[in-house]
């Protein structure tokens, strides 16, 4: 079946600031990629839950949970590596926007996982955009100037 995502500039609005190549190389990588990024996840969602949901789009090669670089605990995102491009496109098309652990998750094409990309880049250790987030899981409190997240007792 022909790809539904023919124009690489339209398949993701996200641009990784740490991608070292040109915009054209970034677009090519996105177009060929068999990796997706999943965002807006609950901090409590497990790798097993991710596997259960995302294997509906196709066979998974690997899951890499995104971790807070300070606490080394899940911080709301992950990467999923599929074997086939078609399954990758189905994952973005059908799973993005579904609810996992009460949160609508966002599935995005990714240019490809590299060691180090699993760590949150935010000042607090988690994801950058969590420092701007307003919708938290009910048992998480936001304290401090840079989105320091703590769990309620
Ligand atoms: N494929 O959408 C994505 C995506 N995101 C959001 C993160 N990653 C993604 N990959 C894909 N699609 O490997 C990947 C990153 C990295 C890992 C953790 O997840 O490539 P991060 O989320 O901690 O850091 O990454 P990143 O990617 O630098 O964050 P972001 O949100 O794009 O922020 C970029 C800039 O925009 C920053 O300067 C930030 O201060 C600013 N910003 C972000 N959100 C807001 C906001 N709501 N308001 C104002 N400024 C904001």
């Amino acid at each position: 079946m022909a790809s539904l995502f023919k124009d690489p500039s339209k398949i993701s609005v996200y641009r990784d600031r740490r991608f070292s190549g040109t915009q054209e190389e970034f677009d090519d990588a996105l177009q060929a990629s068999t990796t997706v990024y999943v965002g807006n996840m609950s901090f409590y969602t497990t790798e097993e839950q991710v596997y259960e949901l995302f294997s509906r789009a196709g066979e998974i090669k690997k899951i890499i949970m995104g971790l807070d670089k300070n606490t080394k605990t899940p911080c709301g995102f992950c990467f999923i590596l599929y074997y086939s491009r078609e399954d990758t496109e189905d994952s973005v098309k059908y799973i993005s926007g579904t609810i996992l652990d009460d949160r609508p998750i966002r599935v995005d094409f990714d240019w490809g996982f590299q060691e180090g990309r699993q760590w949150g880049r935010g000042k607090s250790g988690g994801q950058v955009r969590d420092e701007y987030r307003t919708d938290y899981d009910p048992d998480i409190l936001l304290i401090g100037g840079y989105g320091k997240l703590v769990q309620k007792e």
Side-chain angles (χ1 to χ4, degrees):
M1 196 175 78
S3 171
L4 292 163
F5 299 96
K6 285 209 174 111
D7 181 351
S9 67
K10 294 207 168 63
I11 69 176
S12 175
V13 293
Y14 176 79
R15 172 78 161 86
D16 187 356
R17 292 170 291 139
R18 298 196 190 174
F19 180 81
S20 58
T22 62
Q23 182 65 50
E24 198 183 355
E25 286 165 342
F26 186 74
D27 290 344
D28 287 348
L30 280 187
Q31 179 109 337
S33 169
T34 52
T35 301
V36 295
Y37 158 93
V38 186
N40 202 35
M41 286 168 57
S42 161
F43 292 10
Y44 303 112
T45 298
T46 63
E47 190 171 329
E48 288 71 27
Q49 285 173 281
V50 172
Y51 187 88
E52 210 281 312
L53 176 62
F54 282 87
S55 58
R56 294 183 199 176
E59 195 182 346
I60 292 171
K61 192 194 285 183
K62 196 170 182 185
I63 295 172
I64 297 132
M65 299 298 283
L67 301 174
D68 181 301
K69 64 175 179 273
N70 298 326
T71 62
K72 315 285 188 272
T73 55
C75 68
F77 72 102
C78 73
F79 295 98
I80 299 169
L81 282 58
Y82 285 100
Y83 285 98
S84 94
R85 175 65 187 183
E86 197 178 354
D87 296 345
T88 311
E89 292 188 1
D90 282 349
S91 182
V92 174
K93 195 156 60 126
Y94 299 118
I95 303 180
S96 194
T98 62
I99 308 293
L100 180 60
D101 268 341
D102 299 328
R103 300 184 67 90
I105 52 170
R106 187 168 65 84
V107 186
D108 189 27
F109 288 104
D110 187 71
W111 64 272
F113 178 75
Q114 294 195 336
E115 182 50 39
R117 292 197 63 209
Q118 71 271 38
W119 304 114
R121 296 172 179 173
K123 291 192 176 79
S124 63
Q127 281 214 268
V128 171
R129 50 190 67 192
D130 279 347
E131 286 157 3
Y132 305 90
R133 214 195 247 196
T134 52
D135 57 326
Y136 290 95
D137 291 332
D139 48 356
I140 287 194
L141 278 176
L142 180 67
I143 58 163
Y146 277 111
K148 194 167 189 310
L149 295 170
V150 291
Q151 214 174 314
K152 273 192 210 165
E153 301 268 352

